[in-house]
Amino acid sequence: MPPPRSAVVFLDPHFTVGEVDPLLFGSFVEHLGRCVYTGLFEPDHPAADAAGLRTDVLALVRELGVTMVRYPGGNFVSAYRWEDGVGPADLRPRRLDPAWRTIETNRFGLGEFTAFTRAAGLEAMMAVNLGTRGPAEAADLLEYCNHPSGTTLSDLRGAHGAPEPYGIALWCLGNELDGPWQVGHKTADEYGRLTAETARLMRMIDPSVRLIACGSSGSGMPTFGDWESTVLAHAYDQVDYISLHAYYDPEANDPASYLASACDMERFITDVIALCDAARARHRSAKRLSLSFDEWNIWYMSRQRPGQGEWPRAPRLLEDVYTVTDAVVFGTLLITLLRHCDRVTAACLAQLVNVIAPIMTEPGGPAWRQTIFHPFAQAARYGRGQVLQLHVESPTYETPKFGDVPLLHATAVHGEDGVLTVFAVNRDPAADLPLTVHLGGFTAGGPAVHSVLADDDPAAANTMTAPDRVTPRTLAVPEVEDGRLTAVLPPLSWNVLRLPLAPAH
């Protein structure tokens, strides 16, 4: 019989990609569906704290390892008046939200969001409305949030119960304004000029802010490339990041290409880096832009139906249930972000609770982890330190969309804790993939551990009645001998190999 197909990885401590920025493990909270109401915030829930936050959800957010949260949108922000969400809750206006065709009560607003970030230990990424509003309103919001005191808006924040500034550093300058679906959709020239002027004014208010310009809403947008070049022609010197958004629909692709979705993300990232660096050359600038991949996930978008009829309040929207197959593909996206940590220095899993989310809740009932929760939690916990350059030799398989694709998708992190972590996905749905990792200049300092997320049923999922159907399990201890770590990756699996290292001499 022929030997089984196998994969080989070569690495060395001297060859690194870069240091992982903790902001790579961000998420996203939008006023959409039940993300906020009966998700994060449910004052009448038995587990609610004094601020109305669900403590069972807070515990899962902490376990997930999220470091930063983007708020309040998303499409929602492009028609949002931030003033509606501050002050006494019972005096706040109810508004129509045209983005998702719902009623927004504004019961949860800026103060409640800040209470959530502080309770969960998160940094905030705040988006401003550049759809129906402009520089003046963005500057007002910044002054309300960050100016210490002594002005009408900063003192208003104090009167609302927050005498100390919120100190929000990260700001998104609008959302997906290249998209025709967006309230206030703009051409690249219109948006680029607006972004540059908004950024200049915001830096006058608070020079410490870090600003994110909207890139394309996806690599498939007809204006992709031209949008980035035009926007950066106006705003390169005024911004610190450009954004990327990408979602992968299991039902919009053939199965083989879906498993290779990370190929699209990889190409998207490298193309945007090239566009940013071309703009840098044209501007003769010493500054190098970072990438903020501030919306990414698996999304069964083909199941989405546009809202019609009445305007509901916090309806069940986009509550996708993720399978173990989705978790494996999700893991390849995490690996791709880590492989580009030198330029992708912020990222937001969209979203956090209920809406295409790793955490699900039932009103008045329990909260539980979806399958995608586990790869994110492991990456956020173990993916801290230096990402290593890998040389990978892997068998391939054929896909209609991407051609020949490696069965192995992997990265490795030399951790701050002195442990080498290899994140690896076996895309083969039917066969094990033996893996050998050549450790280069690393020396093992203890036994390795192999955690795997897989299931005999590729459609297995976690639900309210079976919340732990799919969870990571520990396999037999991998062998470490003669400078090599060997393990067997089960079919269609997300794998985490952890090897304590001997101190360097």
Side-chain angles (χ1 to χ4, degrees):
M1 294 178 62
R5 294 190 295 177
S6 61
V8 182
V9 168
F10 298 87
L11 52 80
D12 190 275
H14 297 94
F15 299 101
T16 64
V17 175
E19 184 86 15
V20 178
D21 192 312
L23 296 180
L24 200 67
F25 304 111
S27 191
F28 178 30
V29 167
E30 181 173 5
H31 287 251
L32 162 57
R34 297 193 309 114
C35 184
V36 172
Y37 303 109
T38 72
L40 290 177
F41 183 75
E42 190 177 354
D44 295 332
H45 192 277
D49 64 12
L53 300 169
R54 286 186 55 156
T55 57
D56 56 344
V57 173
L58 282 172
L60 289 176
V61 170
R62 296 186 192 103
E63 181 186 338
L64 185 62
V66 171
T67 55
M68 169 268 289
V69 174
R70 179 173 175 244
Y71 176 83
N75 295 350
F76 173 81
V77 78
S78 291
Y80 181 56
R81 303 171 177 89
W82 68 265
E83 302 92 335
D84 290 348
V86 300
D90 57 350
L91 299 180
R92 296 178 191 174
R94 294 165 65 92
R95 302 276 191 191
L96 298 180
D97 168 28
W100 299 108
R101 198 175 173 82
T102 59
I103 296 286
E104 173 54 52
T105 67
N106 288 300
R107 177 63 185 82
F108 185 97
L110 184 55
E112 290 79 15
F113 172 70
T114 303
F116 161 67
T117 59
R118 291 177 175 174
L122 308 175
E123 184 166 346
M125 176 189 281
M126 185 66 61
V128 301
N129 175 1
L130 293 186
T132 58
R133 309 188 99 180
E137 293 88 351
D140 285 349
L141 174 58
L142 177 60
E143 182 182 334
Y144 179 92
C145 289
N146 285 10
H147 193 71
S149 63
T151 67
T152 296
L153 288 170
S154 59
D155 290 344
L156 182 63
R157 184 196 65 241
H160 291 160
E164 296 301 317
Y166 292 148
I168 298 173
L170 287 166
W171 294 81
C172 297
L173 302 177
N175 175 76
E176 292 186 354
L177 286 156
D178 63 322
W181 60 84
Q182 197 70 209
V183 176
H185 163 61
K186 291 173 173 55
T187 67
D189 270 313
E190 290 169 340
Y191 173 72
R193 175 74 184 275
L194 177 60
T195 288
E197 295 305 323
T198 303
R200 288 189 187 99
L201 181 55
M202 291 180 73
R203 289 197 194 279
M204 292 177 187
I205 303 296
D206 183 350
S208 70
V209 294
R210 305 200 304 278
L211 303 176
I212 304 163
C214 290
S216 293
S217 303
S219 61
M221 293 295 291
T223 55
F224 172 58
D226 290 340
W227 173 273
E228 281 77 4
S229 296
T230 302
V231 168
L232 293 178
H234 289 283
Y236 188 92
D237 291 331
Q238 280 72 47
V239 299
D240 304 289
Y241 304 78
I242 193 163
S243 71
L244 302 82
H245 293 177
Y247 296 99
Y248 298 97
D249 186 344
E251 296 179 347
N253 292 287
D254 62 279
S257 297
Y258 173 56
L259 291 175
S261 294
C263 294
D264 177 83
M265 178 184 262
E266 193 103 30
R267 184 169 56 201
F268 191 14
I269 291 171
T270 56
D271 286 351
V272 174
I273 289 171
L275 291 163
C276 290
D277 290 348
R280 178 190 183 200
R282 286 194 298 271
H283 282 76
R284 295 172 172 82
S285 175
K287 180 177 72 175
R288 189 176 75 161
L289 283 189
S290 291
L291 275 56
S292 176
F293 216 124
D294 46 44
E295 288 188 33
W296 68 273
N297 203 349
I298 310 299
W299 180 3
Y300 286 78
M301 199 177 300
S302 54
R303 297 179 183 177
Q304 181 180 338
R305 297 292 180 267
Q308 296 177 347
E310 299 298 321
W311 294 75
R313 183 170 66 85
R316 294 180 184 265
L317 292 176
L318 315 186
E319 297 195 5
D320 289 353
V321 176
Y322 293 115
T323 68
V324 70
T325 301
D326 296 330
V328 171
V329 175
F330 181 94
T332 66
L333 304 179
L334 278 166
I335 287 169
T336 301
L337 293 172
L338 286 166
R339 281 159 54 148
H340 292 279
C341 71
D342 58 327
R343 295 301 291 271
V344 182
T345 58
C348 300
L349 165 62
Q351 293 189 17
L352 184 58
V353 186
N354 287 329
V355 176
I356 52 172
I359 298 169
M360 296 297 293
T361 72
E362 189 62 22
W368 65 95
R369 307 165 189 83
Q370 291 234 59
T371 60
I372 63 171
F373 181 102
H374 300 293
F376 190 99
Q378 291 181 313
R381 182 175 181 182
Y382 301 131
R384 306 293 184 94
Q386 288 284 337
V387 174
L388 302 172
Q389 295 181 19
L390 304 187
H391 174 74
V392 177
E393 297 176 0
S394 170
T396 62
Y397 74 106
E398 187 177 349
T399 71
K401 191 171 183 179
F402 303 110
D404 289 341
V405 172
L407 288 173
L408 176 70
H409 193 63
T411 192
V413 180
H414 183 191
E416 301 165 345
D417 56 359
V419 176
L420 175 67
T421 300
V422 177
F423 300 105
V425 162
N426 176 13
R427 290 182 168 121
D428 194 324
D432 290 342
L433 183 64
L435 172 64
T436 299
V437 179
H438 290 262
L439 298 174
F442 289 116
T443 302
V449 177
H450 182 184
S451 169
V452 64
L453 189 76
D455 198 277
D456 293 338
D457 178 5
N462 295 339
T463 64
M464 183 172 66
T465 56
D468 298 316
R469 171 69 175 83
V470 179
T471 57
R473 67 182 191 275
T474 301
L475 296 186
V477 176
E479 294 183 9
V480 182
E481 187 175 7
D482 298 329
R484 297 190 301 271
L485 169 68
T486 59
V488 176
L489 312 184
L492 197 61
S493 60
W494 157 265
N495 301 264
V496 182
L497 302 166
R498 299 262 297 159
L499 178 65
L501 299 171
H505 296 292

